[in-house]
Amino acid sequence: VLEFKNRENRHFKFAPDGHYADNAANDEEGASSDATEGHDDEDEIYEGEYQGVPAYNEGKTKDGQVALGQPVSDSVKSRKELENERQADEEELAQQYELIMQECGHGRFQWQLFFVLGLALMSDGVEVFVVGFVLPSAETDMCVPNSGAGWLGSIVYLGMMFGAFFWGGLSDKVGRKQCLLISMSVNGFFAFLSSFVQGYSMFLFCRMVSGFGIGGAVPIVFSYFAEVLAREKRGEHLSWLCMFWMIGGIYASAMAWAIIPHYGWSFSMGSAYQFHSWRVFVVVCALPCVSAVVALTFMPESPRFFLETGKHDEAWMVLKHIHDTNMRARGEPERVFTVNRIKVPKQLDELVEMQNESANPVLKVLFKIKIWLTFMRCFNHPVKDNTTKLAAVWFTLSFGYYGLSVWFPDVIKHLQADEYASRVKIHNNERIEDFTFNFTLENQIHRNGAFMNDRFIGMKFKVVTFIDSSFVNCYFEDVSSVGSIFKNCTFVDSFFYNTDIDDNKLKSSKVINSSFHHNKTGCQMTFDDDYSAYWVYFVNFLGTLAVLPGNIISALLMDKIGRLSMLGGSMVLSGISCFFLWFGTSESMMIFMLCLYNGLSISAWNSLDVVTAELYPTDRRGTGFGFCNAICKLAAVLGNLIFGSLVGITKAIPILLASAVLVGGGLVGLRLPDTRANVLM
């Protein structure tokens, strides 16, 4: 039997049967509990709140204090003394909260929240993969020069970096649910808007703001879910939650595979507005975010956040809702939530000002968004060393993973381009007269050719190069020429109608007595049944699916072998597997090694998420997690730029670099404190 005193020296006991007892008022409370049986939920909440929740200061309310267990700073006490009192309160609350969560049990409520937060985490996974999938199509569709290529991937991760820090810090001030709702709404709105804008600059802006919104998903989701789990369930179920990130990657890969290569799924309004299939893909990828926003509106705020901010009654009502929901699902609706009073930490300084009814509304908002002060507390004792080590592990793991994964489609395309170029057909000194071309010419080179009185109607040039060739009295109508150029060619008495042949494709060529009418504007997308596009999306689908075994293993073993062993071991093994990518001499070998790398690294991600959520106290959990996730996205930007610049030049440097940082990060992760037996502070 656990026994403790509250501020009025009234004795409370927690018995093995899971019931709290107040020695001073046992009989009345027992009668009250019996009276509430059979009533509906609203009646139980009302009666329990006002009949079974005595205030800390019964009778009188002294100056400088507020009711409902929210004592404020005493003018005679120093700041140090008040902070020590708050620390003692938090330690007592941590132990009591763990006992309360055990009484509430693990059941229907946690599973409902699991799927709702899973949709939010799924949206984060989708956002990451959307970048790599739409990058080639978007830059081609919007005529982006080579100097602007690659900015899309970097700008999205920059948005996610600032978003993680901002929303994570804000969730410690205004609440997990409220911040997650706003951030996900921002992501969904701008992701949807980005599918309709035509200019590349506006598209970049929309994707950056979309990334800023989704940046809050990871730090808030794990903080939120960890605060409604008992200690023995926390590691396993946080690991199961990580599976939704994988599901998001599978969803994005499958949708890209099914939608983007179908260029017929498009419409246009003149030449100014084009809506190609990759834009349909962007719209479809916003659906998980919209679903998460709708579902999240039906979930309550984290009760642990309420307690940290002094909102005792709100926290009690949420905990009672959790208890009653789980008991009804178990077939025990008659079980009464027996907790009468919960420890509330002492509220200090600016928090008191926010609670003051006479406080200026503007000041309340400014106090609430004072994220920087909370962030600086992440570098105070005793979490300072942990923050530094966590940042190092997040950076190294992210640099290796995103550096290889985000730009991997370009590596596949480069290998395919080499193989494609090896199959080119070369035609020299050909002479063709009075012939009609109404079919596709692909992957060809024509040198010193002569085309006389020929007609090119409703046909396509795909990666075709004409060198030192002449076209005399030729007719071109409805011609598309993607990846094709005319180098040092001559056009005499020729007519062009509704073609995309312009000065950019006529390299050092002469046009004599020829005319162009209704030329196509903008950049033309590639053609139907593009095998390379299907292959890239399928490879990403396999790579994402490969993490499923690692997800299952990490969830089942998280509480058995420990977070740190799994984190360090997974990073070291993934670094070794990454090193062997250097020896991949074929496309199939590279794909196999990538799947192996993804499968090994996922356990590190899962354990890192769990450790980060458990190492920070509740009043800094969102801020600390947001900072670590911001470091993660910064590493993604650097990996994106560094690895992308080396595609097609060398594969040794990026692979060796990723291997080295992963092994180094794993060794640092082994020096973190083990959180398996910790209660949430």
Side-chain angles (χ1 to χ4, degrees):
V1 177
L2 299 178
E3 182 175 359
F4 59 94
K5 295 181 180 180
N6 73 336
R7 293 179 185 272
E8 287 74 43
N9 292 320
R10 294 175 63 184
H11 285 78
F12 285 81
K13 294 182 179 180
F14 182 78
D17 62 355
H19 290 73
Y20 283 97
D22 182 350
N23 290 345
N26 247 358
D27 296 336
E28 291 90 357
E29 287 173 7
S32 175
S33 298
D34 294 338
T36 59
E37 291 187 15
H39 288 217
D40 59 24
D41 293 343
E42 293 182 0
D43 289 339
E44 289 181 0
I45 291 174
Y46 182 89
E47 292 176 15
E49 180 185 0
Y50 291 99
Q51 295 182 15
V53 187
Y56 282 124
N57 303 303
E58 291 184 25
K60 298 180 181 179
T61 300
K62 299 179 182 179
D63 294 338
Q65 291 186 325
V66 292
L68 297 176
Q70 299 181 39
V72 299
S73 302
D74 193 335
S75 57
V76 261
K77 294 181 180 179
S78 67
R79 173 80 182 192
K80 183 70 174 176
E81 290 175 323
L82 295 174
E83 289 179 348
N84 289 338
E85 285 186 20
R86 179 177 172 86
Q87 179 66 25
D89 290 347
E90 288 176 342
E91 292 175 359
E92 184 177 335
L93 170 61
Q95 299 296 332
Q96 185 187 8
Y97 191 82
E98 178 64 29
L99 296 174
I100 293 172
M101 292 311 304
Q102 291 176 11
E103 180 180 348
C104 291
H106 188 92
R108 177 179 293 173
F109 176 84
Q110 281 84 359
W111 285 112
Q112 289 173 346
L113 187 62
F114 173 81
F115 287 106
V116 172
L117 296 181
L119 286 173
L121 196 60
M122 178 181 172
S123 302
D124 182 83
V126 169
E127 187 77 16
V128 169
F129 282 88
V130 164
V131 175
F133 291 153
V134 306
L135 188 58
S137 299
E139 291 177 344
T140 301
D141 189 21
M142 297 180 180
C143 307
V144 179
N146 291 334
S147 58
W151 270 106
L152 177 59
S154 300
I155 206 74
V156 170
Y157 286 112
L158 285 173
M160 296 175 77
M161 178 181 72
F162 288 108
F165 182 79
F166 177 78
W167 297 114
L170 196 63
S171 71
D172 285 333
K173 298 295 184 181
V174 301
R176 316 300 192 207
K177 173 188 173 181
Q178 187 173 351
C179 278
L180 188 58
L181 266 175
I182 299 173
S183 66
M184 297 298 293
S185 299
V186 170
N187 170 250
F189 176 78
F190 281 94
F192 185 78
L193 183 63
S194 68
S195 65
F196 294 95
V197 298
Q198 294 295 300
Y200 190 60
S201 299
M202 191 62 186
F203 182 75
L204 284 178
F205 173 78
C206 288
R207 294 314 302 187
M208 180 185 69
V209 180
S210 173
F212 177 78
I214 200 62
V218 171
I220 300 177
V221 161
F222 284 100
S223 299
Y224 194 171
F225 197 49
E227 291 168 359
V228 296
L229 295 172
R231 176 173 50 196
E232 66 271 10
K233 299 287 186 179
R234 202 162 51 232
E236 177 184 351
H237 287 270
L238 285 175
S239 299
W240 288 123
L241 185 65
C242 294
M243 290 189 66
F244 280 94
W245 200 93
M246 174 203 72
I247 295 172
I250 293 175
Y251 175 82
S253 302
M255 292 300 102
W257 189 19
I259 295 174
I260 294 181
H262 293 280
Y263 304 109
W265 295 12
S266 61
F267 66 89
S268 61
M269 299 173 62
S271 60
Y273 189 86
Q274 305 286 332
F275 196 91
H276 290 111
S277 57
W278 67 267
R279 297 180 182 274
V280 178
F281 168 70
V282 172
V283 172
V284 171
C285 285
L287 296 180
C289 178
V290 176
S291 303
V293 171
V294 174
L296 194 60
T297 58
F298 298 97
M299 304 308 297
E301 179 57 82
S302 164
R304 188 61 189 273
F305 169 78
F306 276 146
L307 291 172
E308 285 294 327
T309 54
K311 299 180 180 179
H312 175 274
D313 283 4
E314 291 87 340
W316 185 89
M317 292 177 70
V318 174
L319 289 169
K320 184 181 186 303
H321 170 69
I322 296 173
H323 174 274
D324 292 348
T325 300
N326 290 341
M327 292 306 109
R328 282 195 298 268
R330 291 181 184 179
E332 303 176 16
E334 71 281 356
R335 289 198 61 177
V336 178
F337 185 53
T338 59
V339 177
N340 290 341
R341 185 182 306 165
I342 310 171
K343 189 70 175 180
V344 176
K346 182 179 288 292
Q347 305 299 298
L348 305 177
D349 296 347
E350 67 265 11
L351 296 179
V352 174
E353 181 67 21
M354 284 193 296
Q355 301 296 335
N356 191 346
E357 290 296 331
S358 62
N360 189 311
V362 177
L363 291 178
K364 288 184 180 182
V365 175
L366 292 177
F367 280 130
K368 282 192 175 187
I369 62 175
K370 225 170 187 178
I371 300 171
W372 184 255
L373 295 180
T374 307
F375 168 66
M376 294 306 297
R377 293 177 61 209
C378 293
F379 291 90
N380 292 343
H381 181 78
V383 296
K384 177 181 178 181
D385 291 342
N386 296 339
T387 299
T388 305
K389 293 174 184 175
L390 281 172
V393 177
W394 275 94
F395 183 91
T396 52
L397 182 58
S398 175
F399 184 84
Y401 179 83
Y402 287 105
L404 291 176
S405 299
V406 175
W407 282 96
F408 190 73
D410 279 356
V411 176
I412 295 291
K413 283 192 172 183
H414 182 75
L415 293 172
Q416 290 178 337
D418 290 342
E419 194 272 336
Y420 186 76
S422 67
R423 294 187 285 107
V424 65
K425 297 178 181 179
I426 301 176
H427 303 271
N428 293 313
N429 303 314
E430 60 185 339
R431 183 181 179 89
I432 302 176
E433 297 185 27
D434 298 314
F435 186 80
T436 299
F437 293 86
N438 55 5
F439 48 87
T440 298
L441 296 181
E442 180 179 357
N443 197 20
Q444 299 179 6
I445 297 177
H446 298 262
R447 287 194 178 96
N448 299 314
F451 299 87
M452 310 284 294
N453 302 316
D454 294 323
R455 291 165 298 281
F456 300 83
I457 300 175
M459 58 91 58
K460 302 169 183 177
F461 294 116
K462 184 177 181 182
V463 195
V464 178
T465 301
F466 293 92
I467 303 174
D468 298 323
S469 299
S470 61
F471 299 83
V472 179
N473 197 27
C474 291
Y475 181 80
F476 297 82
E477 180 179 353
D478 292 329
V479 175
S480 298
S481 55
V482 175
S484 301
I485 59 173
F486 299 85
K487 189 179 298 183
N488 199 29
C489 295
T490 303
F491 295 86
V492 180
D493 296 327
S494 296
F495 185 85
F496 297 82
Y497 181 83
N498 194 31
T499 72
D500 62 355
I501 300 174
D502 54 20
D503 292 339
N504 294 325
K505 298 180 180 179
L506 301 176
K507 305 292 185 181
S508 303
S509 297
K510 297 179 181 179
V511 179
I512 302 172
N513 197 27
S514 300
S515 58
F516 295 80
H517 299 273
H518 298 286
N519 257 26
K520 298 178 181 179
T521 58
C523 300
Q524 303 301 310
M525 301 292 289
T526 50
F527 306 113
D528 297 338
D529 302 322
D530 190 337
Y531 172 77
S532 63
Y534 279 107
W535 185 242
V536 168
Y537 305 139
F538 181 66
V539 167
N540 277 274
F541 177 82
L542 290 178
T544 310
L545 193 62
V547 308
L548 179 60
N551 260 315
I552 296 174
I553 292 172
S554 64
L556 296 177
L557 300 181
M558 185 68 70
D559 291 317
K560 292 182 173 62
I561 68 174
R563 288 88 158 112
L564 302 187
S565 299
M566 187 168 292
L567 173 62
S570 175
M571 290 188 70
V572 171
L573 289 176
S574 59
I576 295 173
S577 69
C578 172
F579 173 77
F580 283 104
L581 285 171
W582 189 16
F583 301 101
T585 56
S586 65
E587 210 174 313
S588 57
M589 181 65 176
M590 292 286 286
I591 293 170
F592 171 77
M593 294 305 299
L594 179 76
C595 292
L596 178 63
Y597 165 72
N598 285 350
L600 291 172
S601 64
I602 192 61
S603 296
W605 284 110
N606 293 0
S607 53
L608 187 57
D609 288 329
V610 175
V611 169
T612 306
E614 292 178 334
L615 274 180
Y616 286 104
T618 302
D619 62 345
R620 282 164 277 180
R621 184 168 295 120
T623 304
F625 210 129
F627 168 69
C628 291
N629 204 247
I631 293 294
C632 167
K633 297 306 185 289
L634 175 63
V637 172
L638 295 177
N640 193 338
L641 296 175
I642 293 174
F643 284 50
S645 64
L646 297 173
V647 170
I649 300 175
T650 177
K651 65 180 181 181
I653 295 177
I655 290 175
L656 289 174
L657 183 60
S659 180
V661 297
L662 284 169
V663 173
L667 297 177
V668 174
L670 290 173
R671 299 182 63 84
L672 287 166
D674 192 0
T675 59
R676 228 187 320 182
N678 289 7
V679 294
L680 282 183
M681 288 296 297

